[in-house]
Amino acid sequence: MASLSKPQLLYTSEEYLISERDAFERHEWLDGTIYVMAGETPQHSLICTNAIASLNLQLRGRPCAVYSPNMKVYSRLPSDTALKGLFAYPDCTVVCGEARFHDEHRDVLINPRVVIEILSPTTETYDRGKKFLRYQQNLSLTDYVMIEQAYPSVEHYERRADGSWIYSVTTELTASVTLESIECRLPLADTYDRIVFPNLAEEEALP
C-alpha cells in the first residue's frame, strides 16, 4: 500500500467517497490520507477465495452473509473528527443480521462481525497495527483473522465480553480455526487449497 500523490494533503471522508466511487482502482482512507491499494499475488487471490468459499458454504441458510473484497468497511469512534477514521476493503467480511451501511449508496458496511485480511510484506505492519486498531472501533466486530501467504499460519483475535481480545495462532495444515461467534471453522487445509509452499516442498523432498 502506497500513499496516493495529490496536491491536497488531507481529504475528508466525503471527498474520499466521491473520488472512490468514480475511481478505476481501489483506495483506502485513513485519518484523512488516501492510499492506493497494491495489486494481489496469485496466492493472495486463491487464499481469499478459499476462505470466502468455506465460510459461505457453512453460512448458507443462516442469518450471516459473506462479503467479497469489493465491499468497504468504515470504522471510527463517535468522538472522531471529520479527518479521523478508516475506510478499508477487507479481504473477507462477515455480517450477521441486517447489514447496516454508511449511507444511501450501500457500498460501505458499518457492522462487520468477522474481518479477514491476507497478509503481504507491504501491508503486514499496517494490517497488524493501525488497521486492526481502527477495526476494533466497530463494536459489532468479534473476530479479526490474519492469514499468511508464504507459510501456513492463521492468526485469530477474538473479542471477549469485557472488550479484551484473545490471541491465538494456528500453523498445522491439519488444524482449524474456530470462529465461535458465527459457529464456523476455517480448516487450514481448505484455506490453503492449491497453495504450494516452496520451503515445505523442499523439506519434504529431503531424504
Side-chain angles (χ1 to χ4, degrees):
M1 216 169 103
S3 179
L4 179 64
S5 177
K6 284 190 176 182
Q8 189 172 328
L9 293 178
L10 295 176
Y11 299 82
T12 66
S13 58
E14 291 78 13
E15 289 172 328
Y16 160 75
L17 288 172
I18 291 172
S19 173
E20 186 67 6
R21 284 164 178 155
D22 289 330
F24 289 102
E25 56 186 356
R26 297 184 302 168
H27 309 81
E28 295 190 341
W29 180 91
L30 175 66
D31 296 343
T33 301
I34 295 176
Y35 297 88
V36 177
M37 294 190 67
E40 63 182 22
T41 64
Q43 292 88 342
H44 184 290
S45 183
L46 281 173
I47 293 169
C48 183
T49 55
N50 286 342
I52 289 173
S54 177
L55 292 179
N56 191 55
L57 184 62
Q58 295 175 69
L59 291 171
R60 187 168 296 170
R62 294 165 55 189
C64 295
V66 185
Y67 290 84
S68 79
N70 290 316
M71 177 61 74
K72 294 182 285 296
V73 167
Y74 182 43
S75 307
R76 73 184 294 271
L77 289 172
S79 59
D80 280 345
T81 66
L83 291 178
K84 286 289 185 180
L86 170 71
F87 284 93
Y89 289 89
D91 289 309
C92 173
T93 306
V94 177
V95 172
C96 293
E98 182 180 358
R100 296 172 55 208
F101 296 94
H102 175 66
D103 58 23
E104 69 278 3
H105 290 274
R106 297 174 62 84
D107 59 354
V108 183
L109 289 164
I110 60 173
N111 62 328
R113 175 72 64 86
V114 177
V115 165
I116 297 176
E117 294 285 6
I118 316 301
L119 299 177
S120 65
T122 57
T123 64
E124 182 173 352
T125 300
Y126 173 59
D127 288 338
R128 294 182 182 280
K130 291 182 178 180
K131 192 178 243 188
F132 181 35
L133 287 174
R134 286 297 182 184
Y135 281 146
Q136 292 178 48
Q137 294 165 2
N138 293 96
L139 297 181
S140 60
L141 185 72
T142 59
D143 299 86
Y144 183 56
V145 179
M146 293 178 290
I147 304 176
E148 284 282 356
Q149 294 186 59
Y151 52 89
S153 177
V154 179
E155 297 174 72
H156 177 209
Y157 284 92
E158 181 180 11
R159 198 198 300 259
R160 300 194 294 188
D162 63 1
S164 61
W165 294 84
I166 300 175
Y167 171 82
S168 63
V169 58
T170 304
T171 58
E172 296 294 331
L173 284 171
T174 55
S176 298
V177 175
T178 300
L179 304 174
E180 290 187 2
S181 71
I182 57 172
E183 299 180 354
C184 288
R185 294 165 57 252
L186 267 181
L188 268 69
D190 293 344
T191 303
Y192 288 110
D193 183 40
R194 289 163 291 178
I195 300 297
V196 177
F197 302 105
N199 292 338
L200 292 181
E202 290 174 5
E203 290 175 6
E204 292 175 354
L206 292 175

